[in-house]
Coordinates of all heavy atoms in Angstrom, one line a residue:
Chain B
Q12 N -19.0 1.4 16.6 CA -17.8 2.1 16.0 C -18.0 3.6 16.0 O -17.0 4.3 15.8 CB -17.6 1.6 14.6 CG -16.8 0.3 14.6 CD -16.2 0.0 13.3 OE1 -16.9 -0.5 12.4 NE2 -15.0 0.3 13.1
E16 N -12.2 7.6 17.4 CA -11.7 8.9 17.1 C -11.8 9.3 15.7 O -11.5 8.5 14.8 CB -10.2 8.9 17.5 CG -9.5 10.2 17.3 CD -8.3 10.4 18.2 OE1 -7.9 9.4 18.9 OE2 -7.8 11.5 18.3
I18 N -11.0 11.8 12.5 CA -10.0 12.7 12.0 C -10.7 13.6 11.0 O -11.5 13.1 10.2 CB -8.8 11.9 11.4 CG1 -8.2 11.1 12.5 CG2 -7.8 12.9 10.8 CD1 -7.4 9.9 12.1
V26 N -2.4 16.0 4.6 CA -1.4 14.8 4.5 C -1.3 14.5 3.0 O -0.2 14.3 2.5 CB -1.9 13.6 5.3 CG1 -1.1 12.3 4.9 CG2 -1.8 13.8 6.8
L30 N 2.1 14.5 0.7 CA 2.5 13.4 -0.2 C 2.7 13.8 -1.6 O 3.7 13.4 -2.2 CB 1.4 12.3 -0.1 CG 1.2 11.5 1.2 CD1 0.0 10.7 1.2 CD2 2.5 10.7 1.5
A32 N 3.5 16.9 -2.6 CA 4.7 17.7 -2.6 C 6.0 16.9 -2.6 O 6.9 17.1 -3.3 CB 4.6 18.7 -1.4
L33 N 6.0 15.8 -1.7 CA 7.1 15.0 -1.6 C 7.4 14.2 -2.9 O 8.5 14.0 -3.3 CB 7.0 14.0 -0.5 CG 7.2 14.5 0.9 CD1 6.7 13.5 2.0 CD2 8.6 14.9 1.2
C35 N 6.7 15.4 -5.9 CA 7.3 16.4 -6.8 C 8.8 16.6 -6.5 O 9.6 16.6 -7.4 CB 6.6 17.8 -6.7 SG 4.9 17.7 -7.3
A47 N 26.3 9.5 -5.2 CA 26.0 8.4 -4.4 C 24.7 8.7 -3.5 O 24.1 7.7 -3.0 CB 27.1 8.0 -3.4
F48 N 24.4 10.0 -3.4 CA 23.3 10.3 -2.5 C 21.9 10.2 -3.1 O 20.9 10.2 -2.5 CB 23.5 11.7 -1.9 CG 24.7 11.8 -1.0 CD1 25.8 12.5 -1.4 CD2 24.7 11.2 0.3 CE1 26.9 12.6 -0.6 CE2 25.8 11.3 1.1 CZ 26.9 12.0 0.7
T49 N 21.9 10.1 -4.5 CA 20.6 10.1 -5.2 C 19.7 9.1 -4.7 O 18.5 9.3 -4.4 CB 20.9 9.9 -6.7 OG1 21.9 10.8 -7.1 CG2 19.6 10.2 -7.6
N66 N 0.8 6.1 9.3 CA 0.4 6.7 10.6 C -1.0 7.4 10.5 O -1.8 7.2 11.4 CB 1.4 7.8 11.0 CG 2.5 7.1 11.8 OD1 2.3 6.4 12.8 ND2 3.7 7.3 11.3
K72 N -1.1 5.6 14.1 CA -0.8 6.6 15.2 C -1.9 6.5 16.3 O -1.6 6.8 17.4 CB -0.7 8.0 14.5 CG 0.0 9.0 15.4 CD 0.0 10.3 14.7 CE 0.2 11.4 15.7 NZ 0.0 12.8 15.1
F73 N -3.1 6.2 15.9 CA -4.2 6.2 16.8 C -4.6 4.9 17.4 O -5.5 4.7 18.1 CB -5.4 6.9 16.2 CG -5.1 8.2 15.5 CD1 -4.9 8.2 14.1 CD2 -4.8 9.4 16.2 CE1 -4.6 9.4 13.4 CE2 -4.4 10.5 15.6 CZ -4.3 10.6 14.2
E74 N -3.9 3.8 16.9 CA -4.3 2.5 17.3 C -3.6 2.1 18.6 O -2.7 2.8 19.1 CB -3.9 1.4 16.2 CG -4.6 1.6 14.9 CD -6.1 1.2 15.0 OE1 -6.5 0.7 16.0 OE2 -6.7 1.3 13.9
D75 N -4.1 0.9 19.2 CA -3.4 0.4 20.4 C -2.0 0.0 20.1 O -1.6 -0.2 19.0 CB -4.2 -0.9 20.9 CG -5.6 -0.5 21.4 OD1 -5.8 0.6 21.7 OD2 -6.4 -1.5 21.5
I77 N -0.3 -2.6 20.5 CA 0.0 -3.9 19.9 C 0.1 -3.8 18.4 O 1.0 -4.5 17.8 CB -1.1 -5.0 20.3 CG1 -0.8 -6.4 19.8 CG2 -2.5 -4.6 19.8 CD1 0.4 -7.0 20.6
I84 N 7.9 -5.5 14.6 CA 8.5 -6.8 14.5 C 8.7 -7.1 13.0 O 9.7 -7.6 12.6 CB 7.6 -7.9 15.1 CG1 7.7 -7.7 16.7 CG2 8.1 -9.3 14.7 CD1 6.7 -8.6 17.4
F87 N 11.5 -4.9 11.7 CA 12.8 -5.5 12.2 C 13.2 -6.7 11.4 O 14.4 -6.9 11.1 CB 12.7 -5.7 13.7 CG 14.0 -6.2 14.3 CD1 15.1 -5.4 14.5 CD2 14.1 -7.6 14.7 CE1 16.3 -5.8 15.0 CE2 15.3 -8.0 15.2 CZ 16.4 -7.2 15.4
I89 N 12.4 -7.5 8.4 CA 12.9 -7.1 7.0 C 14.3 -6.6 7.1 O 15.2 -6.9 6.3 CB 11.9 -6.1 6.4 CG1 10.6 -6.9 6.1 CG2 12.5 -5.5 5.1 CD1 9.4 -5.9 5.7
V91 N 16.6 -7.2 9.3 CA 17.5 -8.3 9.6 C 17.8 -9.1 8.3 O 19.0 -9.4 8.0 CB 17.0 -9.3 10.7 CG1 17.8 -10.6 10.7 CG2 17.0 -8.6 12.0
F97 N 23.1 -8.6 2.8 CA 24.2 -7.7 2.3 C 25.5 -8.0 3.1 O 26.6 -7.7 2.5 CB 23.8 -6.2 2.4 CG 23.0 -5.8 1.2 CD1 21.7 -5.9 1.1 CD2 23.7 -5.4 0.1 CE1 21.0 -5.6 -0.1 CE2 23.1 -5.1 -1.1 CZ 21.7 -5.2 -1.2
D99 N 26.6 -10.8 3.4 CA 27.1 -11.8 2.5 C 27.6 -11.2 1.2 O 28.7 -11.3 0.7 CB 26.1 -12.9 2.2 CG 26.4 -13.8 1.1 OD1 27.7 -14.0 0.9 OD2 25.5 -14.3 0.4

Side-chain angles (χ1 to χ4, degrees):
Chain B
Q12 277 196 279
E16 183 152 7
I18 298 157
V26 168
L30 288 168
L33 284 168
C35 294
F48 295 108
T49 312
N66 276 306
K72 199 180 160 193
F73 313 101
E74 295 289 357
D75 290 345
I77 187 70
I84 291 173
F87 181 71
I89 293 169
V91 168
F97 274 92
D99 168 30

